[in-house]
């Protein structure tokens, strides 16, 4: 009798270990991502603005990617022992799709797909987390809900120039400026 119980417990332990390995392989990131970013300087675009005679600056998807990666890097510690290690962002109007690599409890690497919304709430560009999924499995928002991140766009501009409005285009953000703030 004791021998049957021992064998049964051993088999259950082996099955649990195999299931854990399968789950870890399932959630493992499919590509290597980082949070390295390049500083963008909106003020460098002022010369382009003068040549085009329009009071607006267009940030390309790559520039928005760099701007958002900078913010994500400074907010890489997430709730429930998660830490963001990398991101690749795709701008779609006021929505941002992000492939992200996170690590849970400094041990288990996880590849996820997150959705964010962008909104202009003067004087900040606000990034709001919408949802996260791992492969085809939607995480409950209670498990991983990120606080809104605010980017003070005005800090990237010269002092005499203000922001009138921000327009979200398919693959860019148009910042409409006003002189002599």
């Amino acid at each position: 009798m004791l021998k049957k119980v021992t064998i049964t417990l051993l088999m259950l332990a082996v099955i649990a270990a195999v299931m854990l390995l399968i789950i870890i392989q399932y959630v493992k990131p499919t590509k290597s991502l980082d949070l390295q970013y390049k500083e963008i300087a909106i003020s460098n675009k002022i010369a382009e603005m003068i040549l085009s005679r329009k009071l607006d600056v267009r940030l390309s998807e790559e520039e928005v990617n760099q701007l958002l990666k900078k913010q994500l890097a400074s907010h890489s510690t997430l709730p429930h022992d998660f830490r963001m290690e990398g991101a690749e962002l795709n701008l779609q109007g006021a929505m941002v799709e992000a492939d992200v690599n996170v690590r849970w409890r400094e041990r288990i690497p996880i590849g996820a797909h997150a959705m964010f919304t962008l909104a202009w709430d003067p004087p900040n560009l606000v990034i709001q987390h919408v949802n996260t999924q791992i492969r085809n499995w939607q995480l409950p928002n209670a498990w991983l809900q990120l606080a809104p991140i605010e980017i003070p766009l005005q800090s990237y501009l010269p002092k005499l120039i203000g922001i009138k409005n921000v327009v979200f285009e398919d693959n860019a953000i148009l910042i409409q400026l006003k002189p002599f703030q």
Side-chain angles (χ1 to χ4, degrees), residues 86-97:
E88 183 178 74
L89 306 157
N90 182 15
L91 182 64
Q92 298 175 346
M95 295 294 295
V96 176
E97 288 186 13

Side-chain angles (χ1 to χ4, degrees), residues 151-162:
I151 302 173
L153 288 180
Q154 186 66 45
S155 66
Y156 290 91
L157 295 171
K159 293 196 185 299
L160 293 177
I161 297 178

Side-chain angles (χ1 to χ4, degrees), residues 72 75-85 102 144 146:
L72 291 174
H75 295 84
S76 64
T77 302
L78 307 174
H80 306 294
D81 296 325
F82 286 97
R83 183 175 46 83
M84 188 171 303
E85 294 185 329
V102 296
L144 187 63
L146 308 178

Side-chain angles (χ1 to χ4, degrees), residues 104-127:
W104 183 60
R105 295 196 173 186
E106 299 297 326
R107 290 190 181 108
I108 300 173
I110 300 171
H113 186 76
M115 293 293 293
F116 298 91
T117 58
L118 297 175
W120 173 240
D121 185 16
N124 298 316
L125 179 65
V126 180
I127 308 164

Side-chain angles (χ1 to χ4, degrees), residues 33-39 62 65-70 73 85-87:
L33 301 173
D34 61 33
L35 288 175
Q36 299 296 320
Y37 61 90
K38 297 176 193 161
E39 286 288 340
E62 178 58 30
N65 195 348
Q66 298 303 318
L67 188 65
L68 296 180
K69 269 186 155 182
K70 177 180 179 181
E85 294 185 329

Side-chain angles (χ1 to χ4, degrees), residues 1-69:
M1 178 70 174
L2 184 60
K3 188 174 182 181
K4 283 185 179 184
V5 171
T6 304
I7 290 173
T8 302
L9 289 176
L10 185 60
M11 290 301 289
L12 287 175
V14 168
I15 290 171
V18 168
M19 291 300 291
L20 183 62
L21 288 174
I22 289 171
I23 290 170
I24 289 172
Q25 282 297 85
Y26 181 75
V27 300
K28 186 173 136 182
T30 57
K31 53 185 162 181
S32 178
L33 301 173
D34 61 33
L35 288 175
Q36 299 296 320
Y37 61 90
K38 297 176 193 161
E39 286 288 340
I40 66 162
I42 296 174
S43 59
N44 292 344
K45 294 189 173 248
I46 300 297
E48 294 173 23
M49 182 184 75
I50 292 170
L51 291 174
S52 69
R53 296 182 183 165
K54 293 182 182 178
L55 287 176
D56 57 23
V57 172
R58 185 175 315 280
L59 296 180
S60 69
E61 183 175 36
E62 178 58 30
E63 291 167 323
V64 173
N65 195 348
Q66 298 303 318
L67 188 65
L68 296 180
K69 269 186 155 182

